[in-house]
Amino acid sequence: MAAPIQAGAEALMMDAKDHVATAIKDLRPGETIIYRVAGESYSLEIMEAIPFGHKVAIVLISEGTHVRKYGEVIGRATENIAPGFHVHVHNVEGIRGRGDQAQAAGGGKA
C-alpha cells in the first residue's frame, strides 16, 4: 500500500528513481516548493508556471534520457530539462505503445 500523503508538500514524488514530481497545486515561477519522497523533504525553485497535476523536473534530465515517474519510464526527453522546469509533451516524447521504442526502454517485445 502507498504511504499516506504528508501535509506541507506542493508536489509529490512517487519513487526514489523518479526524475519528476507531480504538482498538487498550480506552481508559479520563483516559488520555492517542498516535495517529499521516502520520508525525506526536499526544496526546489520553480522556474516556469506548472499547472496542477503536471510534472516538474527535480533533477537535470538530459536530452535522450528515459524520463521516470512512478519508478517507470514514461517517455524520452527531447531536450535538456533543468530542475524546476515543466515536464510535458513539449519536451518529452511518449514511447509507450510504440513497438519500435518499447524494447529500447526495457518495455518488452517490439
Side-chain angles (χ1 to χ4, degrees):
M1 178 181 257
I5 296 173
Q6 297 176 334
E10 290 86 14
L12 299 175
M13 184 177 159
M14 303 308 290
D15 188 285
K17 296 178 284 194
D18 290 353
H19 298 115
V20 299
T22 302
I24 56 174
K25 68 173 200 165
D26 289 337
L27 304 177
R28 296 180 310 270
E31 179 178 11
T32 298
I33 66 159
I34 302 296
Y35 67 92
R36 293 194 172 99
V37 64
E40 298 291 325
S41 296
Y42 302 91
S43 64
L44 176 70
E45 183 179 356
I46 299 303
M47 306 307 289
E48 62 183 338
I50 300 168
F52 168 82
H54 284 232
K55 298 172 292 299
V56 58
I58 57 168
V59 296
L60 173 64
I61 306 170
S62 299
E63 181 178 355
T65 298
H66 287 145
V67 179
R68 290 189 176 273
K69 179 179 177 181
Y70 311 121
E72 300 290 331
V73 173
I74 61 165
R76 182 178 28 255
T78 58
E79 60 187 57
N80 291 335
I81 310 167
F85 281 87
H86 192 200
V87 178
H88 200 54
V89 297
H90 66 284
N91 55 15
V92 174
E93 171 187 44
I95 58 175
R96 288 183 171 221
R98 285 188 56 186
D100 61 327
Q101 300 294 324
Q103 223 167 11
K109 297 179 182 177

